[in-house]
Amino acid sequence: MPDLLHEPLTWTSFAIFFAWGVVLLLVILGFVTYAIYFERKVIGWMQLRIGPNRTGPLGLLQSVADVAKLLLKEDTIPRKAERELFILAPVITFIPAFTVCAAIPYTSRLISTDLNVGVLYYVALSGISTIGIVLGGWASNNKYALLGGMRSAAQMISYEIPLVISVVGCVMMTGSMNLNRIVENQAGGFWHWNFLPQIIGFVVFVIAAVSELNRTPFDLPEAESELVAGYHVEYSGFRFAFFMLAEYVYVFAIAGLTTTLFLGGWHAPFTFLDFIPGLIWFLLKFSSIVFFLFWLRATLPRVRVDQLMGLGWKVLLPLALVNIFVTAIYMAIAM
C-alpha cells in the first residue's frame, strides 16, 4: 500500500484502495461480531458463568444470531421525535468510528493511509461521534435519552482533553505526528517502547480511553439502572446496531492506537525475535489490550458521575500536563 500513497491517482490505484477499504471494513465487522462473543465468554469465565454455548458449536454463532435479529427487527421512530436528526444520529456516530481505523499502521507496509498528522486525524474524527450521541439523545424526545446524551457529551469532552495531552509526550519524543514514524522510533526492543519513558502518559491515556469508549466503569451514558438505556433508549433494530457497532469499532481503534503509540506497534519485544512477522506481534499486543478492556468490565463497578468528572479534571488533566513538562526535561537532559 505505501508504494501507491505518493503516486498520482489512477483507476488501478483507485480500485486497489477501494478493495483495501472493503477488506478493512470486513475485518473490522468480523472483529466486532466475535469481540462481542469473546467478551461474553471472558466475563462468564471470570464470574463463574457459562456464557454463550447453544447457538452453533461452542456458541460461536450467537453474535451472528444477535446481528441478524437486530437487522430484522422492526425499526420504530417515536411520533414526537425530530425525525431527520433521529435517523442521522447513528450514522454520525458510526462513520467516524470506522474512518479513524484508516490511519493505524499494522506493519511497516500494511497501512491504509500514511498521514503526517495521523494523531491529529484520529483526535479530530473521533470527536465527531460525540455529536451523534448527543443528537440521538436530544432527537428522541425522551428525558432519559436526553440525560444520557448530556452525560455522554460531558464525559467524552472532559476525557478527550487528557487523552490528547497524554499523547503529546510521544509526539515530542518522535518529533512527528505520523503514526508510522512513532512506531519506527520504538524499534530495538521493549526498553525503547514509549510506555516506559511515557509511563504517566500511558496510564492517563488508558484511563481516558476507557472513558471515551463509554465502557465500564465509566459507562454513565448507558447506565441501565438509572437511565433505562441512556441515549439510545428509543432506538431499535439496525439503528440501535449502529450505536453498538460504533462502540466496538472504537474498541478496535483504541487497541490499535495504544499498541502503536506506546507498545512498539509491530516490533518484537526482543531483537532476537525479529524473525517473527510484525503482524503477529501487532495482533498479540492488540489482543492483550482488548482482553484488558473485557477484564475491566468483568471486575469493576460503575463509578458515580461526580467521581467520574472529578477524576478527569482534578487528576488526569494535571497528570497529563505534568507529563509534558517531565518529557521536556527528560529530552533536555538526554540531548
Side-chain angles (χ1 to χ4, degrees):
M1 292 300 293
D3 297 332
L4 298 172
L5 295 176
H6 305 294
E7 296 180 1
L9 184 63
T10 63
W11 283 108
T12 302
S13 58
F14 172 78
I16 293 174
F17 281 121
F18 181 79
W20 171 245
V22 172
V23 170
L24 183 61
L25 176 62
L26 294 176
V27 168
I28 292 175
L29 292 177
F31 165 81
V32 170
T33 301
Y34 282 98
I36 297 171
Y37 167 79
F38 282 109
E39 181 171 22
R40 291 173 174 177
K41 295 296 282 188
V42 168
I43 293 176
W45 168 63
M46 289 183 172
Q47 298 177 348
L48 298 179
R49 294 184 288 107
I50 297 175
N53 68 337
R54 296 292 181 182
T55 311
L58 302 176
L60 285 170
L61 296 180
Q62 182 62 57
S63 293
V64 177
D66 291 340
V67 171
K69 179 187 73 174
L70 288 173
L71 293 177
L72 297 174
K73 201 171 183 181
E74 181 184 3
D75 176 39
T76 59
I77 300 178
R79 183 167 55 87
K80 294 186 178 181
E82 291 285 344
R83 186 180 180 85
E84 292 78 12
L85 296 179
F86 187 88
I87 294 172
L88 190 61
V91 179
I92 295 176
T93 303
F94 169 71
I95 290 179
F98 176 70
T99 53
V100 296
C101 298
I104 297 175
Y106 305 99
T107 68
S108 57
R109 295 185 60 82
L110 190 58
I111 175 175
S112 300
T113 308
D114 191 18
L115 293 174
N116 289 329
V117 289
V119 175
L120 187 61
Y121 171 86
Y122 180 92
V123 171
L125 284 180
S126 63
I128 297 176
S129 293
T130 306
I131 300 174
I133 290 175
V134 174
L135 277 180
W138 182 80
S140 297
N141 193 30
N142 179 299
K143 67 176 77 173
Y144 296 108
L146 179 60
L147 283 172
M150 292 298 102
R151 276 189 179 187
S152 182
Q155 176 176 330
M156 296 178 78
I157 291 172
S158 298
Y159 280 82
E160 187 83 23
I161 298 171
L163 180 78
V164 175
I165 297 177
S166 66
V167 177
V168 172
C170 296
V171 175
M172 291 170 64
M173 294 182 65
T174 307
S176 173
M177 286 194 289
N178 185 308
L179 292 173
N180 209 20
R181 286 192 58 189
I182 290 175
V183 176
E184 291 172 353
N185 195 55
Q186 301 177 69
F190 76 91
W191 51 92
H192 293 288
W193 295 357
N194 285 335
F195 85 94
L196 288 174
Q198 289 292 307
I199 187 64
I200 298 176
F202 177 63
V203 172
V204 172
F205 180 88
V206 170
I207 297 174
V210 174
S211 182
E212 279 285 292
L213 293 171
N214 291 336
R215 289 180 61 86
T216 307
F218 305 126
D219 58 337
L220 272 298
E222 304 170 6
E224 296 91 346
S225 58
E226 306 163 27
L227 300 173
V228 185
Y231 56 89
H232 50 56
V233 64
E234 295 289 359
Y235 284 88
S236 63
F238 73 96
R239 300 191 203 282
F240 171 78
F242 264 79
F243 282 118
M244 177 174 283
L245 187 64
E247 177 183 331
Y248 280 90
V249 172
Y250 271 123
V251 169
F252 181 97
I254 284 292
L257 192 65
T258 306
T259 301
T260 299
L261 291 174
F262 295 99
L263 300 180
W266 60 82
H267 293 301
F270 300 99
T271 53
F272 65 84
L273 295 174
D274 285 341
F275 66 92
I276 299 176
L279 183 61
I280 301 297
W281 290 116
F282 183 92
L283 291 176
L284 286 173
K285 299 169 189 177
F286 174 91
S287 301
S288 299
I289 297 296
V290 173
F291 174 79
F292 174 73
L293 294 174
F294 295 167
W295 185 5
L296 285 183
R297 182 171 181 180
T299 307
L300 299 179
R302 181 183 301 127
V303 300
R304 295 197 317 263
V305 64
D306 59 316
Q307 295 172 331
L308 173 78
M309 301 304 290
L311 176 65
W313 290 105
K314 297 178 183 178
V315 179
L316 296 187
L317 180 58
L319 280 177
L321 292 172
V322 166
N323 181 62
I324 294 178
F325 289 103
V326 171
T327 302
I329 295 171
Y330 168 79
M331 293 179 65
I333 294 174
M335 294 175 63

